[in-house]
């Protein structure tokens, strides 16, 4: 059975009608549960440097992997700046899965 195409106004009106039916006790609405990841841990200066050293990367290489400036890595390791939330997630991923970094040798 094909679903008919509806315009936004029609969708909104249908949704409002469902709400009214639910409030009157004539309709049970579906509940959708979605997986939400835990917030990324906050990496401190010492932890960032230890991670980089564990991965055997220079600051330049580490910055390249994270797609940030080498000065950013330097300032994280010195405690001058803190990584943004997205960078903390990347650091977490690298920490838990160090093999995702591939090394390329030049001839």
């Amino acid at each position: 059975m094909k679903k008919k195409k509806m315009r936004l106004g029609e969708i909104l009106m249908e949704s409002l009608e469902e709400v009214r039916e639910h409030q009157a006790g004539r309709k049970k609405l579906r509940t959708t549960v979605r997986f939400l990841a835990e917030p990324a841990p906050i990496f401190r200066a010492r932890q960032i440097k230890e991670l980089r050293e564990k991965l055997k990367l220079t600051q330049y290489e580490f910055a390249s992997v994270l797609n940030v400036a080498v000065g950013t890595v330097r300032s994280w390791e010195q405690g001058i700046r803190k990584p943004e939330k997205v960078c903390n997630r990347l650091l977490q991923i690298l920490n838990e899965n160090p093999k995702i970094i591939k090394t390329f040798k030049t001839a």
Side-chain angles (χ1 to χ4, degrees):
M1 182 165 121
K2 283 188 178 178
K3 273 193 167 184
K4 85 173 193 183
K5 261 190 170 175
M6 295 174 62
R7 293 181 178 210
L8 180 59
E10 292 171 328
I11 294 169
L12 291 173
M13 291 303 292
E14 186 177 291
S15 297
L16 288 172
E17 184 58 36
E18 287 181 352
V19 169
R20 195 175 339 169
E21 291 290 312
H22 173 68
Q23 288 176 335
R26 293 186 294 266
K27 181 170 181 114
K28 184 163 174 78
L29 299 178
R30 289 179 293 150
T31 302
T32 303
V33 178
R34 296 188 180 184
F35 169 77
L36 296 176
E38 292 289 320
I42 297 170
F43 281 77
R44 308 271 183 239
R46 178 185 45 76
Q47 294 169 305
I48 295 168
K49 185 172 183 177
E50 287 173 358
L51 174 58
R52 179 179 61 78
E53 290 173 344
K54 177 176 95 171
L55 297 171
K56 297 180 176 144
L57 297 173
T58 65
Q59 286 182 337
Y60 177 80
E61 292 165 336
F62 195 56
S64 177
V65 167
L66 295 170
N67 200 34
V68 298
V70 69
T72 300
V73 170
R74 194 175 302 119
S75 64
W76 289 345
E77 289 185 1
Q78 293 173 355
I80 297 167
R81 292 178 57 200
K82 295 178 182 173
E84 299 287 327
K85 290 179 182 180
V86 68
C87 289
N88 277 312
R89 178 68 75 203
L90 289 172
L91 292 167
Q92 176 189 19
I93 291 167
L94 285 175
N95 190 44
E96 293 174 5
N97 304 289
K99 292 183 180 181
I100 63 174
I101 298 175
K102 294 182 181 180
T103 55
F104 299 96
K105 302 216 182 227
T106 55

